[in-house]
PDB file of all heavy atoms in Angstrom:
ATOM      1  N   ASN W  22      22.522  11.764 -10.326  1.00 61.00           N
ATOM      2  CA  ASN W  22      22.143  11.580 -11.726  1.00 61.00           C
ATOM      3  C   ASN W  22      23.350  11.804 -12.624  1.00 61.00           C
ATOM      4  O   ASN W  22      23.280  12.489 -13.638  1.00 61.00           O
ATOM      5  CB  ASN W  22      21.011  12.547 -12.099  1.00 61.00           C
ATOM      6  CG  ASN W  22      20.200  12.044 -13.274  1.00 61.00           C
ATOM      7  OD1 ASN W  22      19.913  10.857 -13.357  1.00 61.00           O
ATOM      8  ND2 ASN W  22      19.823  12.934 -14.177  1.00 61.00           N
ATOM      9  N   ARG W  23      24.471  11.211 -12.238  1.00 65.00           N
ATOM     10  CA  ARG W  23      25.729  11.413 -12.948  1.00 65.00           C
ATOM     11  C   ARG W  23      25.646  10.906 -14.384  1.00 65.00           C
ATOM     12  O   ARG W  23      25.165   9.812 -14.657  1.00 65.00           O
ATOM     13  CB  ARG W  23      26.839  10.694 -12.205  1.00 65.00           C
ATOM     14  CG  ARG W  23      28.233  10.970 -12.731  1.00 65.00           C
ATOM     15  CD  ARG W  23      29.251  10.227 -11.886  1.00 65.00           C
ATOM     16  NE  ARG W  23      29.091  10.519 -10.466  1.00 65.00           N
ATOM     17  CZ  ARG W  23      29.770   9.876  -9.519  1.00 65.00           C
ATOM     18  NH1 ARG W  23      30.611   8.921  -9.837  1.00 65.00           N
ATOM     19  NH2 ARG W  23      29.580  10.190  -8.259  1.00 65.00           N
ATOM     20  N   THR W  24      26.134  11.705 -15.344  1.00 55.00           N
ATOM     21  CA  THR W  24      26.166  11.286 -16.738  1.00 55.00           C
ATOM     22  C   THR W  24      27.183  10.165 -16.920  1.00 55.00           C
ATOM     23  O   THR W  24      28.297  10.252 -16.421  1.00 55.00           O
ATOM     24  CB  THR W  24      26.562  12.469 -17.650  1.00 55.00           C
ATOM     25  OG1 THR W  24      25.634  13.532 -17.434  1.00 55.00           O
ATOM     26  CG2 THR W  24      26.531  12.062 -19.116  1.00 55.00           C
ATOM     27  N   PRO W  25      26.823   9.079 -17.628  1.00 57.00           N
ATOM     28  CA  PRO W  25      27.758   7.978 -17.818  1.00 57.00           C
ATOM     29  C   PRO W  25      28.941   8.392 -18.675  1.00 57.00           C
ATOM     30  O   PRO W  25      28.830   9.258 -19.541  1.00 57.00           O
ATOM     31  CB  PRO W  25      26.918   6.914 -18.535  1.00 57.00           C
ATOM     32  CG  PRO W  25      25.828   7.683 -19.205  1.00 57.00           C
ATOM     33  CD  PRO W  25      25.533   8.839 -18.287  1.00 57.00           C
ATOM     34  N   LEU W  30      30.386  10.042 -23.625  1.00 44.00           N
ATOM     35  CA  LEU W  30      29.250  10.896 -23.897  1.00 44.00           C
ATOM     36  C   LEU W  30      29.482  12.281 -23.309  1.00 44.00           C
ATOM     37  O   LEU W  30      30.122  12.428 -22.280  1.00 44.00           O
ATOM     38  CB  LEU W  30      27.983  10.291 -23.282  1.00 44.00           C
ATOM     39  CG  LEU W  30      27.634   8.898 -23.800  1.00 44.00           C
ATOM     40  CD1 LEU W  30      26.476   8.324 -23.000  1.00 44.00           C
ATOM     41  CD2 LEU W  30      27.264   8.967 -25.269  1.00 44.00           C
ATOM     42  N   PRO W  31      28.972  13.334 -23.956  1.00 40.00           N
ATOM     43  CA  PRO W  31      29.151  14.690 -23.435  1.00 40.00           C
ATOM     44  C   PRO W  31      28.383  14.896 -22.149  1.00 40.00           C
ATOM     45  O   PRO W  31      27.318  14.314 -21.939  1.00 40.00           O
ATOM     46  CB  PRO W  31      28.590  15.578 -24.553  1.00 40.00           C
ATOM     47  CG  PRO W  31      27.594  14.704 -25.250  1.00 40.00           C
ATOM     48  CD  PRO W  31      28.171  13.313 -25.185  1.00 40.00           C
ATOM     49  N   VAL W  32      28.925  15.713 -21.291  1.00 35.00           N
ATOM     50  CA  VAL W  32      28.232  16.061 -20.057  1.00 35.00           C
ATOM     51  C   VAL W  32      27.064  16.977 -20.401  1.00 35.00           C
ATOM     52  O   VAL W  32      27.199  17.915 -21.175  1.00 35.00           O
ATOM     53  CB  VAL W  32      29.198  16.768 -19.086  1.00 35.00           C
ATOM     54  CG1 VAL W  32      28.439  17.259 -17.866  1.00 35.00           C
ATOM     55  CG2 VAL W  32      30.316  15.822 -18.681  1.00 35.00           C
ATOM     56  N   ARG W  33      25.895  16.668 -19.836  1.00 32.00           N
ATOM     57  CA  ARG W  33      24.703  17.458 -20.114  1.00 32.00           C
ATOM     58  C   ARG W  33      24.259  18.179 -18.855  1.00 32.00           C
ATOM     59  O   ARG W  33      24.355  17.637 -17.764  1.00 32.00           O
ATOM     60  CB  ARG W  33      23.543  16.559 -20.586  1.00 32.00           C
ATOM     61  CG  ARG W  33      23.833  15.804 -21.850  1.00 32.00           C
ATOM     62  CD  ARG W  33      22.651  14.897 -22.205  1.00 32.00           C
ATOM     63  NE  ARG W  33      22.486  13.855 -21.191  1.00 32.00           N
ATOM     64  CZ  ARG W  33      21.489  13.800 -20.328  1.00 32.00           C
ATOM     65  NH1 ARG W  33      20.569  14.746 -20.332  1.00 32.00           N
ATOM     66  NH2 ARG W  33      21.394  12.840 -19.439  1.00 32.00           N
ATOM     67  N   GLU W  34      23.785  19.378 -19.011  1.00 29.00           N
ATOM     68  CA  GLU W  34      23.188  20.070 -17.884  1.00 29.00           C
ATOM     69  C   GLU W  34      21.752  19.586 -17.740  1.00 29.00           C
ATOM     70  O   GLU W  34      21.044  19.405 -18.723  1.00 29.00           O
ATOM     71  CB  GLU W  34      23.191  21.592 -18.120  1.00 29.00           C
ATOM     72  CG  GLU W  34      24.586  22.200 -18.089  1.00 29.00           C
ATOM     73  CD  GLU W  34      24.540  23.706 -18.202  1.00 29.00           C
ATOM     74  OE1 GLU W  34      23.414  24.244 -18.230  1.00 29.00           O
ATOM     75  OE2 GLU W  34      25.596  24.329 -18.270  1.00 29.00           O
ATOM     76  N   ALA W  35      21.335  19.377 -16.508  1.00 31.00           N
ATOM     77  CA  ALA W  35      19.956  18.944 -16.276  1.00 31.00           C
ATOM     78  C   ALA W  35      19.019  20.075 -16.655  1.00 31.00           C
ATOM     79  O   ALA W  35      19.225  21.226 -16.292  1.00 31.00           O
ATOM     80  CB  ALA W  35      19.764  18.577 -14.812  1.00 31.00           C
ATOM     81  N   ASP W  36      17.983  19.760 -17.458  1.00 28.00           N
ATOM     82  CA  ASP W  36      17.006  20.798 -17.765  1.00 28.00           C
ATOM     83  C   ASP W  36      15.794  20.597 -16.874  1.00 28.00           C
ATOM     84  O   ASP W  36      15.422  19.481 -16.537  1.00 28.00           O
ATOM     85  CB  ASP W  36      16.654  20.822 -19.258  1.00 28.00           C
ATOM     86  CG  ASP W  36      15.744  19.697 -19.706  1.00 28.00           C
ATOM     87  OD1 ASP W  36      14.865  19.328 -18.936  1.00 28.00           O
ATOM     88  OD2 ASP W  36      15.899  19.227 -20.848  1.00 28.00           O
ATOM     89  N   TRP W  39      11.370  18.805 -17.034  1.00 26.00           N
ATOM     90  CA  TRP W  39      10.781  17.504 -16.746  1.00 26.00           C
ATOM     91  C   TRP W  39      10.574  17.281 -15.253  1.00 26.00           C
ATOM     92  O   TRP W  39      10.403  16.177 -14.792  1.00 26.00           O
ATOM     93  CB  TRP W  39      11.626  16.373 -17.349  1.00 26.00           C
ATOM     94  CG  TRP W  39      13.059  16.374 -16.965  1.00 26.00           C
ATOM     95  CD1 TRP W  39      14.015  17.239 -17.373  1.00 26.00           C
ATOM     96  CD2 TRP W  39      13.705  15.449 -16.098  1.00 26.00           C
ATOM     97  NE1 TRP W  39      15.220  16.926 -16.815  1.00 26.00           N
ATOM     98  CE2 TRP W  39      15.061  15.828 -16.036  1.00 26.00           C
ATOM     99  CE3 TRP W  39      13.296  14.345 -15.362  1.00 26.00           C
ATOM    100  CZ2 TRP W  39      15.994  15.141 -15.269  1.00 26.00           C
ATOM    101  CZ3 TRP W  39      14.237  13.661 -14.606  1.00 26.00           C
ATOM    102  CH2 TRP W  39      15.563  14.061 -14.569  1.00 26.00           C
ATOM    103  N   HIS W  98      20.769   2.311 -19.545  1.00 93.00           N
ATOM    104  CA  HIS W  98      20.362   3.663 -19.922  1.00 93.00           C
ATOM    105  C   HIS W  98      21.519   4.479 -20.489  1.00 93.00           C
ATOM    106  O   HIS W  98      21.291   5.485 -21.162  1.00 93.00           O
ATOM    107  CB  HIS W  98      19.746   4.385 -18.715  1.00 93.00           C
ATOM    108  CG  HIS W  98      18.268   4.630 -18.861  1.00 93.00           C
ATOM    109  ND1 HIS W  98      17.387   3.657 -19.278  1.00 93.00           N
ATOM    110  CD2 HIS W  98      17.506   5.743 -18.661  1.00 93.00           C
ATOM    111  CE1 HIS W  98      16.164   4.154 -19.316  1.00 93.00           C
ATOM    112  NE2 HIS W  98      16.204   5.427 -18.948  1.00 93.00           N
ATOM    113  N   HIS W 101      21.576   5.264 -24.138  1.00 84.00           N
ATOM    114  CA  HIS W 101      20.686   6.306 -24.633  1.00 84.00           C
ATOM    115  C   HIS W 101      21.205   7.694 -24.269  1.00 84.00           C
ATOM    116  O   HIS W 101      20.462   8.674 -24.373  1.00 84.00           O
ATOM    117  CB  HIS W 101      19.288   6.118 -24.047  1.00 84.00           C
ATOM    118  CG  HIS W 101      18.615   4.856 -24.472  1.00 84.00           C
ATOM    119  ND1 HIS W 101      17.928   4.737 -25.659  1.00 84.00           N
ATOM    120  CD2 HIS W 101      18.542   3.634 -23.878  1.00 84.00           C
ATOM    121  CE1 HIS W 101      17.454   3.513 -25.771  1.00 84.00           C
ATOM    122  NE2 HIS W 101      17.809   2.833 -24.702  1.00 84.00           N
ATOM    123  N   ASP W 102      22.458   7.782 -23.824  1.00 88.00           N
ATOM    124  CA  ASP W 102      23.007   9.049 -23.345  1.00 88.00           C
ATOM    125  C   ASP W 102      22.188   9.574 -22.174  1.00 88.00           C
ATOM    126  O   ASP W 102      21.945  10.771 -22.045  1.00 88.00           O
ATOM    127  CB  ASP W 102      23.054  10.088 -24.474  1.00 88.00           C
ATOM    128  CG  ASP W 102      23.876  11.331 -24.097  1.00 88.00           C
ATOM    129  OD1 ASP W 102      24.557  11.293 -23.055  1.00 88.00           O
ATOM    130  OD2 ASP W 102      23.819  12.336 -24.835  1.00 88.00           O
ATOM    131  N   LEU W 103      21.740   8.653 -21.329  1.00 93.00           N
ATOM    132  CA  LEU W 103      20.983   9.003 -20.133  1.00 93.00           C
ATOM    133  C   LEU W 103      21.673   8.415 -18.917  1.00 93.00           C
ATOM    134  O   LEU W 103      22.376   7.413 -19.012  1.00 93.00           O
ATOM    135  CB  LEU W 103      19.550   8.469 -20.232  1.00 93.00           C
ATOM    136  CG  LEU W 103      18.668   9.101 -21.306  1.00 93.00           C
ATOM    137  CD1 LEU W 103      17.353   8.344 -21.431  1.00 93.00           C
ATOM    138  CD2 LEU W 103      18.401  10.571 -20.999  1.00 93.00           C
ATOM    139  N   SER W 104      21.449   9.034 -17.778  1.00 93.00           N
ATOM    140  CA  SER W 104      22.087   8.577 -16.555  1.00 93.00           C
ATOM    141  C   SER W 104      21.459   7.282 -16.043  1.00 93.00           C
ATOM    142  O   SER W 104      20.231   7.150 -16.021  1.00 93.00           O
ATOM    143  CB  SER W 104      21.964   9.647 -15.476  1.00 93.00           C
ATOM    144  OG  SER W 104      22.299   9.113 -14.215  1.00 93.00           O
ATOM    145  N   PRO W 105      22.291   6.324 -15.616  1.00 94.00           N
ATOM    146  CA  PRO W 105      21.761   5.145 -14.933  1.00 94.00           C
ATOM    147  C   PRO W 105      21.179   5.469 -13.559  1.00 94.00           C
ATOM    148  O   PRO W 105      20.634   4.587 -12.910  1.00 94.00           O
ATOM    149  CB  PRO W 105      22.993   4.231 -14.804  1.00 94.00           C
ATOM    150  CG  PRO W 105      23.916   4.677 -15.891  1.00 94.00           C
ATOM    151  CD  PRO W 105      23.722   6.172 -15.936  1.00 94.00           C
ATOM    152  N   ASP W 108      17.723   9.330 -14.214  1.00 95.00           N
ATOM    153  CA  ASP W 108      17.130   9.173 -15.545  1.00 95.00           C
ATOM    154  C   ASP W 108      16.536   7.782 -15.713  1.00 95.00           C
ATOM    155  O   ASP W 108      15.460   7.613 -16.291  1.00 95.00           O
ATOM    156  CB  ASP W 108      18.185   9.409 -16.642  1.00 95.00           C
ATOM    157  CG  ASP W 108      18.529  10.872 -16.831  1.00 95.00           C
ATOM    158  OD1 ASP W 108      17.815  11.730 -16.268  1.00 95.00           O
ATOM    159  OD2 ASP W 108      19.508  11.155 -17.526  1.00 95.00           O
ATOM    160  N   LYS W 112      12.985   8.647 -16.825  1.00 96.00           N
ATOM    161  CA  LYS W 112      12.899   8.788 -18.276  1.00 96.00           C
ATOM    162  C   LYS W 112      12.815   7.385 -18.878  1.00 96.00           C
ATOM    163  O   LYS W 112      13.825   6.722 -19.108  1.00 96.00           O
ATOM    164  CB  LYS W 112      14.101   9.560 -18.813  1.00 96.00           C
ATOM    165  CG  LYS W 112      14.135  11.008 -18.338  1.00 96.00           C
ATOM    166  CD  LYS W 112      15.251  11.795 -19.010  1.00 96.00           C
ATOM    167  CE  LYS W 112      15.207  13.258 -18.594  1.00 96.00           C
ATOM    168  NZ  LYS W 112      16.246  14.076 -19.271  1.00 96.00           N
TER     169      LYS W 112
END
Side-chain angles (χ1 to χ4, degrees):
N22 204 41
R23 188 179 307 172
T24 303
L30 301 173
V32 174
R33 299 178 295 110
E34 291 185 4
D36 75 37
W39 54 288
H98 249 47
H101 296 276
D102 192 10
L103 293 172
S104 167
D108 285 349
K112 294 186 176 182

